[in-house]
Amino acid sequence: SAVNPCYVSLCLKEYYSYSKTTMSHSRLCLLSALLLCCVFETSFLTIDALLVTGFSACRPDQIEALVQFKEEFDSRGCNHNDYVSGVRCNNVTGAVKKLHLPSGCLSGTLKANSSLFRLQHLRYLNLSNNDFTSSPLPSGFGNLNRLEVLFLSSNGFVGQVPSSFSKLSQLSLLDLSWNELTGDFPQPLGNRSKLTRLSLSDNEFSGALDPNNSLFGLHNLRGLSLAYNYFTTSSSSFFSGFEKLNRLEILFLAFNDFHGQITSSISNLTQLSILGLDDNRLTGSILPLQSLTNLSVLGLVDNNFTGPLPSYILTMPFMSYLDLRGNHFTGPIEVSNSSLSSSRLEHLLLGYNQFEGQILDTVSKLTTLIDIDLSFLNISYPIDFRVFSSSLKSLLKLDLSGSAEVLVSSSVNILDLSLNCFEGAMPILSLSIKILGARYNHFTGNIPLSICSRSSSLEVLDLAYNNVTGAIPQCLSNLRVVKLRKNNLEGSLPDMFSVGATLRTLDVGYNQLTGKLPRSLLNCSFIKFISVDNNRIEDTFPFWLKASRDLQVLTLSSNRFFGHIAPLDQGPLGFPQLRILEVSDNNFTGNLPANYFVNWKAPSLKTNIFGRMYMTDYENGDFADEDTIDLRYKGLHMEQQMALTSYTTIDFSGNKLEGQIPESVGLLKTLIALNLSNNAFTGHIPMSLSNVSKLESLDLSRNQLTGTIPNGLGSLSFLAFIDVSYNQLKGEIPQGTQFNGQAESSFEGNAGLCGLPLQESCFHPSVPPMQHPNQEEEEEEGVGLNWKVVAIGYAPGVLLGFVIGQVVASYKPEWLVKIIGTNILRTR
C-alpha cells in the first residue's frame, strides 16, 4: 500500500528529536531502524522486521553510511527486504561486518569517496551482479583492510587493480571475475599468505606468466581461475611456476593463450581435483597427468594434443568427468577389462578427434557412464545398442552426430542424431526420451505417431532441416521446444495450446503453412521465441501477443500478413522484452508514431550459469540447441545459427509503411541492424540515429526520404554498412571512415546528393560551394523539438510509474559455479 506522508514525517521528527538526547543503546537502535524505514519509503519494512534481520546490533552512524551508499545509485532494482537482510553488524561494537547486496540492485558509478568505504569493519562484502559499468576499481577498497571475503564479479569494472588492494592482507577469498579489468597479473594481489580462493576469470588481463610472477607467491591457494583472459606462457614449458602452488585443488586456465607442452613439473600438484585447460594452444602428450591421482574433472577441449589416448586416463580412481573433444588423439583405446570395471567415469566426451578401431567396445564397458559424446569420429560400422542397453543402464545422453549408422537405445533420455545423413522415416522413440535432436538429416514422411505417444515425457523436439511432410499434429502442445524449420509441412498451425502450456520456442519457418496464427499461443506464458517466416500465413499483426511478457523474438517475414503494425491507439508498440522483430516482405501498411520504440528495453550481455551468451531453448547443462534467425545484414541475406542475447535487430523492409521514421529509434542502444528499405517512408532521416552507438547495418533504401544525411552517422564507430539509395536526399554526403568505405551504389538514385563516393562533385567552377540551406537546418531542428515535446509528455507518466514501483516493492558463494560453468558444462 502507499506510504502515508504523515507517517514518514513522524519518523523523521521522532528520530531527530530523540537523537539529541541521551538514551539507551537499545532505544537508539530502535529509532535507527525507524529512520531506515522512513528512508526506504515503504510501509512494509516494519521495525520488528528490521530487528529480526540483524539491525538491532547496528550503530546509527553505520546505518547512515549504508543508507547514503544506497542513495549514491539508481536503486530501483532493489528489493528493500533483501537489501536489509544482507546486512549483519557486530553485536558488541555495532559496526557492519557483513554486506551482501541483492543481484542487480544498484546502477551507477562507484566513486572513490563512496560512503561504502566508511564501513571499515567489514569482513564480508558481496557487490556482485550490480551495474557499476565503466567504473574503475576505487582505491577506497584499501580502507576496508579487515576484509576476509570480497566478491566484485559481474559489475562492469574497468581499468587496472589499484595498488591499494595490497592493504587487504586479511583476504582469504577474492572474486573479480566477469569485469573488464586490464593489465598484467595484478601485483597488489601477490604474495598473500591468507588468500585461498582467487578468481580473475572473464576479464582482459594479459601478459606472460613467468616463474617469478607474484602469482606464484600465493602458496596457500586452493582455488584459482584465470579463465577467459589473454595470459600466455613465457617459455615452451607451459607449467613453469605453477608447480609452486602445490596446495591447489581447483585450477582453471581455459580460454587463454597458453602454449607449449605439459611438463612433469605438474606432478607437484598432487591435490588437484579439478583442472580446466580448454581452448589454449597446448601440444604434445598428456602423459604427465598420470601422477594427479585425485583428479575428478579434466577439461582439455580444443587444444592440439596428439598421440594415442593413455590407457590410465579412463581408470583414474576419482575421475568422473573427462572432456577431450577437439584435439588430435589417434589410434584405438586399449584398456584391460579388469581396469575398466573399477572406473567411476560418468561423462566421457571424445568427439572431434581421430580415434581408430571399434572404440565403442571399450566405452560400453564403462558401466557408470551417463553421458557419451562420440560425435564426428567417423564411426562407420554398425552399432549394436543391445550392448549399450545391457551394460550402460544409467546412460542418459548419447551424441553420435556425424556417425553413419545408429539405432536407438532404450535407456537414453537425450538422443542427438543431428548432422547425419539418415534417410527414411523417423525412428521409433523409446519411452525414456526427453530430448530428440535430429536436425540436418534426410528424414521423410509424416511426424510419427510414436512422438505423440511419447508426448507426456518428450520436452524438446528438433526435426529442423529435414524433408518431413504432412500436418503438424496436435499432440506437440505439451512440449517446451518445437523446431520444424525447413521441412515440407502443410496445413495450418493447430490451435492446440491449453492454459498453462510450457512452450518456450516455436520455430516452423520455411514450410508451406497457411491459415492464421493460433490465438491459443496466449496460453503459453513462457514463450520467448516465435518464428513462422517464409510460409503462407494470412493474418493481421499479433498485437494480442503483447501479453506474453517474455517474448524476445518474433519473426513473421515472407508471409501474407496485412494491416497496421502500430497499435490502433498510436501508442508504443509494447512487448517489453522484444529484441528481434522481423516482419519483412508482407503487406503491412500505415505509419509509425514517434513514440513507437519507447518501451523497448536494452538487453545486456549476460551469460547464463552454463556460460552461454546465446538465446537457447533448453536450460540444461548437457544440451543446448541455439535459436536460428534469418537476418538481412550489411546488404546480405544470411541465416544466423546462434542469436546473441545482447542485441536488437529490426527488419520492416518490403512492406507499404509510410510517414516519418520514428525519432524514438534513437532509444535502441543495442540496435545493431535496422532495415526499413522498400517502403514509402517520408521526411528526414532521424537525427536520433546518431545515438545508436552499436549500429552496424543501416538500410533505408527505396523510400521517399528527403533532406540531408545526418553528419552524426559518421560518429558511429561500428557502422559498417549504409544504404540510402533511391530516395530524394540532397546535399553533400558526410565524409569520414563510415562513409568513405561504402559502395557508390549505396547512394545512387538520389538526384540531389553529391560528393564521394559518387562521381558528382559538390563544387563546380561556375557555382559557389554548396551550403546547407538555413531552412533545412530549421526543419531538422523542428524535428528534434517535436521529439522533445513527445519526451516531455511521457516523462511525468514514467516518473509516476517509478514512484509507484518504489512504494510497492517490498555463504553459499557462486564462485565455483561461475568458473566451471563455462568449461565443465560446455556444449558444442
Side-chain angles (χ1 to χ4, degrees):
S1 61
V3 177
N4 187 330
C6 297
Y7 172 72
V8 176
S9 175
L10 179 63
C11 284
L12 295 174
K13 182 178 178 181
E14 284 281 283
Y15 176 80
Y16 286 117
S17 172
Y18 280 97
S19 62
K20 294 178 181 178
T21 62
T22 305
M23 63 187 73
S24 67
H25 179 70
S26 60
R27 179 74 170 172
L28 193 60
C29 289
L30 193 65
L31 290 169
S32 299
L34 193 61
L35 171 67
L36 193 65
C37 178
C38 296
V39 173
F40 282 160
E41 295 186 341
T42 175
S43 59
F44 59 75
L45 273 179
T46 64
I47 296 172
D48 289 341
L50 293 172
L51 293 176
V52 169
T53 54
F55 266 75
S56 59
C58 296
R59 295 199 312 254
D61 65 302
Q62 298 286 282
I63 293 179
E64 181 185 17
L66 285 170
V67 171
Q68 290 180 359
F69 171 57
K70 180 171 175 288
E71 291 178 338
E72 293 170 10
F73 303 93
D74 178 354
S75 59
R76 287 173 295 188
C78 288
N79 179 313
H80 301 306
N81 274 332
D82 291 344
Y83 185 85
V84 172
S85 63
V87 178
R88 290 291 183 275
C89 292
N90 187 290
N91 289 328
V92 177
T93 66
V96 177
K97 63 179 181 179
K98 175 182 178 180
L99 177 58
H100 187 144
L101 289 185
S103 296
C105 180
L106 303 182
S107 177
T109 301
L110 182 59
K111 298 178 180 178
N113 61 349
S114 171
S115 300
L116 171 69
F117 305 125
R118 290 161 48 192
L119 305 175
Q120 297 182 7
H121 294 268
L122 275 173
R123 294 189 176 184
Y124 178 106
L125 176 60
N126 190 338
L127 302 180
S128 296
N129 297 299
N130 286 285
D131 185 7
F132 303 133
T133 302
S134 300
S135 296
L137 271 175
S139 59
F141 278 107
N143 297 340
L144 310 180
N145 55 16
R146 302 186 186 188
L147 276 175
E148 299 173 11
V149 175
L150 179 56
F151 288 97
L152 297 177
S153 65
S154 299
N155 287 132
F157 287 122
V158 299
Q160 299 191 359
V161 176
S163 59
S164 62
F165 267 63
S166 61
K167 299 177 183 178
L168 305 181
S169 58
Q170 303 301 309
L171 278 181
S172 63
L173 189 155
L174 176 60
D175 185 353
L176 298 177
S177 63
W178 297 73
N179 286 290
E180 299 176 31
L181 301 173
T182 57
D184 296 335
F185 178 84
Q187 297 301 317
L189 304 184
N191 303 309
R192 298 298 177 83
S193 60
K194 295 186 178 182
L195 197 60
T196 60
R197 297 285 190 273
L198 174 62
S199 177
L200 303 180
S201 61
D202 291 270
N203 279 284
E204 297 177 12
F205 291 113
S206 59
L209 295 179
D210 62 73
N212 297 319
N213 193 286
S214 62
L215 164 65
F216 302 121
L218 302 175
H219 298 299
N220 285 314
L221 273 183
R222 263 69 166 181
L224 173 64
S225 177
L226 304 179
Y228 290 90
N229 282 286
Y230 302 97
F231 290 116
T232 186
T233 42
S234 59
S235 67
S236 59
S237 177
F238 160 57
F239 244 79
S240 292
F242 283 97
E243 71 275 3
K244 301 175 185 178
L245 307 179
N246 57 13
R247 296 190 178 186
L248 277 176
E249 299 169 5
I250 300 171
L251 177 59
F252 277 95
L253 304 176
F255 291 87
N256 278 282
D257 192 32
F258 293 116
H259 56 270
Q261 299 187 4
I262 298 177
T263 61
S264 58
S265 62
I266 198 174
S267 61
N268 283 12
L269 306 184
T270 56
Q271 303 302 310
L272 269 185
S273 62
I274 299 177
L275 176 60
L277 303 177
D278 303 340
D279 286 86
N280 282 285
R281 294 190 291 142
L282 303 177
T283 58
S285 169
I286 60 172
L287 279 172
L289 299 178
Q290 185 170 6
S291 58
L292 306 183
T293 54
N294 286 309
L295 271 184
S296 61
V297 174
L298 176 61
L300 303 178
V301 180
D302 290 337
N303 280 282
N304 296 303
F305 293 112
T306 56
L309 195 66
S311 59
Y312 73 84
I313 198 73
L314 300 181
T315 58
M316 295 182 76
F318 299 105
M319 185 71 74
S320 65
Y321 189 103
L322 180 61
D323 193 346
L324 306 179
R325 292 174 293 172
N327 283 283
H328 304 287
F329 291 112
T330 59
I333 300 177
E334 298 179 349
V335 187
S336 67
N337 291 345
S338 58
S339 299
L340 288 173
S341 61
S342 62
S343 172
R344 298 187 180 185
L345 264 176
E346 295 182 346
H347 303 265
L348 178 60
L349 312 176
L350 302 177
Y352 294 84
N353 277 285
Q354 299 162 22
F355 292 112
E356 302 167 0
Q358 296 197 4
I359 64 173
L360 289 178
D361 290 347
T362 302
V363 171
S364 64
K365 295 180 176 65
L366 297 167
T367 57
T368 54
L369 284 176
I370 62 175
D371 178 8
I372 305 174
D373 184 343
L374 303 176
S375 57
F376 293 92
L377 295 184
N378 296 317
I379 298 174
S380 58
Y381 50 88
I383 302 168
D384 186 356
F385 275 86
R386 289 173 297 180
V387 175
F388 278 78
S389 298
S390 60
S391 61
L392 300 178
K393 297 184 182 300
S394 58
L395 187 63
L396 298 178
K397 180 189 175 187
L398 176 63
D399 189 344
L400 287 163
S401 304
S403 301
E405 297 185 33
V406 314
L407 298 175
V408 179
S409 169
S410 61
S411 60
V412 171
N413 292 154
I414 303 174
L415 180 60
D416 190 351
L417 306 177
S418 304
L419 299 163
N420 281 288
C421 298
F422 297 129
E423 299 179 350
M426 286 290 303
I428 297 174
L429 302 182
S430 66
L431 292 172
S432 61
I433 290 289
K434 291 184 177 179
I435 300 174
L436 174 61
R439 61 170 43 200
Y440 289 106
N441 283 286
H442 302 297
F443 289 118
T444 56
N446 295 345
I447 296 175
L449 293 177
S450 62
I451 287 181
C452 289
S453 62
R454 306 292 184 267
S455 61
S456 59
S457 59
L458 192 65
E459 297 182 15
V460 176
L461 175 65
D462 188 352
L463 299 181
Y465 305 92
N466 280 281
N467 297 312
V468 179
T469 56
I472 297 175
Q474 293 263 354
C475 64
L476 302 186
S477 60
N478 294 328
L479 275 60
R480 295 176 63 181
V481 176
V482 176
K483 291 197 168 186
L484 303 172
R485 188 177 188 81
K486 289 200 174 180
N487 281 282
N488 295 303
L489 296 166
E490 299 175 335
S492 60
L493 267 170
D495 213 2
M496 57 187 175
F497 303 104
S498 57
V499 175
T502 58
L503 186 72
R504 295 192 177 187
T505 296
L506 177 65
D507 187 353
V508 293
Y510 286 89
N511 282 283
Q512 300 171 38
L513 300 175
T514 57
K516 296 184 176 184
L517 286 180
R519 271 37 179 185
S520 62
L521 281 170
L522 272 176
N523 295 325
C524 304
S525 304
F526 305 103
I527 192 76
K528 291 184 177 181
F529 186 103
I530 298 176
S531 180
V532 298
D533 57 311
N534 291 273
N535 281 285
R536 302 171 187 170
I537 297 173
E538 188 170 355
D539 202 350
T540 56
F541 187 82
F543 293 111
W544 42 272
L545 274 174
K546 67 182 180 181
S548 303
R549 297 185 177 273
D550 293 331
L551 187 63
Q552 299 175 15
V553 177
L554 180 60
T555 303
L556 310 177
S557 300
S558 300
N559 277 282
R560 298 172 182 174
F561 286 95
F562 60 92
H564 290 261
I565 59 172
L568 296 179
D569 60 4
Q570 292 293 291
L573 179 60
F575 299 99
Q577 298 296 329
L578 199 60
R579 300 172 184 180
I580 297 175
L581 177 59
E582 297 185 0
V583 299
S584 62
D585 298 321
N586 281 288
N587 295 306
F588 288 118
T589 57
N591 55 20
L592 307 178
N595 60 357
Y596 190 70
F597 297 109
V598 297
N599 280 349
W600 286 40
K601 293 183 179 179
S604 58
L605 183 62
K606 293 288 185 181
T607 59
N608 60 21
I609 63 169
F610 306 114
R612 302 188 187 113
M613 295 183 293
Y614 301 101
M615 294 183 186
T616 182
D617 320 303
Y618 194 77
E619 294 298 323
N620 181 302
D622 297 321
F623 180 86
D625 193 6
E626 282 83 8
D627 291 321
T628 300
I629 61 169
D630 270 12
L631 184 63
R632 295 187 185 185
Y633 180 70
K634 297 183 180 180
L636 301 174
H637 192 178
M638 65 182 69
E639 184 175 77
Q640 186 158 341
Q641 291 290 340
M642 294 187 293
L644 277 169
T645 61
S646 62
Y647 61 55
T648 300
T649 67
I650 295 172
D651 188 352
F652 289 176
S653 62
N655 284 285
K656 300 173 183 177
L657 301 175
E658 53 191 10
Q660 295 190 352
I661 299 171
E663 283 280 340
S664 56
V665 71
L667 300 174
L668 303 180
K669 301 302 183 184
T670 55
L671 184 67
I672 66 163
L674 176 64
N675 191 343
L676 303 180
S677 63
N678 289 282
N679 279 285
F681 285 111
T682 56
H684 295 76
I685 297 174
M687 298 181 68
S688 63
L689 277 173
S690 304
N691 299 324
V692 187
S693 58
K694 305 292 186 185
L695 192 63
E696 300 176 13
S697 177
L698 175 63
D699 191 347
L700 304 178
S701 62
R702 299 183 185 276
N703 282 285
Q704 301 170 28
L705 300 173
T706 57
T708 59
I709 300 174
N711 284 316
L713 294 180
S715 65
L716 301 179
S717 56
F718 294 104
L719 189 56
F721 176 83
I722 306 171
D723 191 348
V724 294
S725 61
Y726 297 98
N727 280 283
Q728 300 169 25
L729 301 171
K730 59 184 178 180
E732 183 178 0
I733 297 172
Q735 299 302 299
T737 305
Q738 274 62 43
F739 289 93
N740 293 344
Q742 304 299 321
E744 182 177 353
S745 59
S746 293
F747 303 95
E748 66 186 8
N750 293 278
L753 279 183
C754 59
L756 294 175
L758 294 177
Q759 301 297 318
E760 179 70 21
S761 173
C762 294
F763 305 102
H764 300 285
S766 59
V767 180
M770 182 177 294
Q771 301 289 333
H772 292 296
N774 291 334
Q775 181 182 359
E776 177 124 343
E777 293 179 4
E778 292 173 2
E779 288 174 356
E780 292 187 18
E781 184 177 348
V783 173
L785 180 60
N786 289 340
W787 174 238
K788 290 177 184 176
V789 172
V790 172
I792 291 171
Y794 271 81
V798 173
L799 179 60
L800 179 61
F802 285 147
V803 169
I804 293 173
Q806 182 81 350
V807 170
V808 172
S810 52
Y811 153 54
K812 182 180 179 181
E814 300 174 359
W815 179 80
L816 182 60
V817 174
K818 283 190 176 181
I819 65 172
I820 71 174
T822 53
N823 301 293
I824 297 178
L825 300 178
R826 181 178 182 274
T827 59
R828 234 168 232 289

